[in-house]
Amino acid sequence: MQPEEIAARVWPGRELALEPLGGGITNRNFKVTVGREAFVLRIGGKDTELLGIDRQAEHAASLAAAEIGIAPEVVAFLEPEGYLVTRFVEGNVLPSEEVRRPEVLRRVAGTLRRIHEGAPFPARFNSFRVVEDYLRIAGERGAREPSGYRQAKQTADAIENARGDQPDHPCHNDLLNANFIAVDGDVRIVDWEYAGMGDRFFDLANFSINHELGDTENEGLLAAYFGELDPTDLDALRLMRFMSDFREAMWGVVQQAVSELDFDFVGYADEHFARLEQTAADPAFAEALEA
């Protein structure tokens, strides 16, 4: 079904203007202008359930986040396909160098706290199980086990043992730079398809590694989030930065087997395997694992 046909299901008989939006490597997104109003139509990619995406859960998380002013307003949810329509947010994607400024880190920390202390999400997200699921799914579709998987999995098992049981919080779990929009001095977060109940340190680490925060910036983020800096929180962040890249690398492995998009998923996976190896080689990481 063409995007114009899908949009017509939401606004039957209305004059519509559609404009493709860039940035996505899983879904197709379109800006839909209806009169003087603008919306975003999100069309899920092929076999995205194999990536752990539940469109009903995405809808519920989007509604919950919008309710507390963190995400755009949800306008429609088209079933059975799970297409999502939200209000278009006039703003700018925050450049990584802008995000790393102390005042922006404080705003982001406050926004993440509001998510983590908000209403529960219906899905669950456990990065340790996700990487296992991705390996199984990729293998079932003919992909070979990546050369870096076994060593990374051994480290992941050690991290899971060191972290122990953690309380569940509502988490976004995909805090890429493109998902942050600056709006009138505040921050909005889009793309809630991986949202679920899990370890909030995965969210914090996911944000940290994706924005290439250094030690000083990580300390500022944690101090703003918790109100003070605890060295054990910094250790947890270091460990979960590894898991963020491990998840991302294995996501790329699954995409190699299932995606029809013109994107270098091999290079994407290799990049994240290389970065997690750098993380594990840092003496501070070894100290955090032994703490």
Side-chain angles (χ1 to χ4, degrees), residues 55-203:
R55 296 300 176 186
Q56 295 280 353
E58 176 191 12
H59 177 221
S62 299
L63 285 171
E67 182 69 23
I68 57 175
I70 289 172
E73 175 193 357
V74 176
V75 176
F77 181 64
L78 300 180
E79 299 185 271
E81 303 94 340
Y83 302 145
L84 186 68
V85 179
T86 58
R87 191 167 295 279
F88 182 80
V89 175
E90 291 287 353
N92 300 301
V93 173
L94 284 170
S96 289
E97 58 271 19
E98 176 77 11
V99 171
R100 291 193 288 266
R101 292 170 54 187
E103 61 270 25
V104 179
L105 285 176
R106 286 193 291 271
R107 290 208 303 271
V108 169
T111 299
L112 294 181
R113 277 194 67 93
R114 289 169 64 193
I115 297 169
H116 298 159
E117 295 174 353
F121 295 157
R124 296 184 62 81
F125 183 94
N126 183 319
S127 60
F128 302 106
R129 304 290 79 79
V130 167
V131 295
E132 296 170 347
D133 290 342
Y134 282 174
L135 179 69
R136 173 183 54 79
I137 292 166
E140 289 172 352
R141 280 146 189 84
R144 290 182 294 181
E145 180 182 297
S147 60
Y149 177 83
R150 294 193 183 186
Q151 181 60 53
K153 183 60 168 65
Q154 183 177 347
T155 302
D157 290 343
I159 293 171
E160 184 174 18
N161 183 64
R163 293 285 292 139
D165 292 332
Q166 296 296 321
D168 282 342
H169 294 268
C171 294
H172 182 278
N173 301 313
D174 194 25
L175 295 172
L176 302 171
N177 180 251
N179 290 335
F180 285 84
I181 300 177
V183 183
D184 297 330
D186 204 352
V187 176
R188 298 288 185 277
I189 302 178
V190 299
D191 190 353
W192 294 81
E193 62 188 353
Y194 295 99
M197 302 299 292
D199 183 355
R200 59 183 170 176
F201 273 95
F202 182 89
D203 247 7

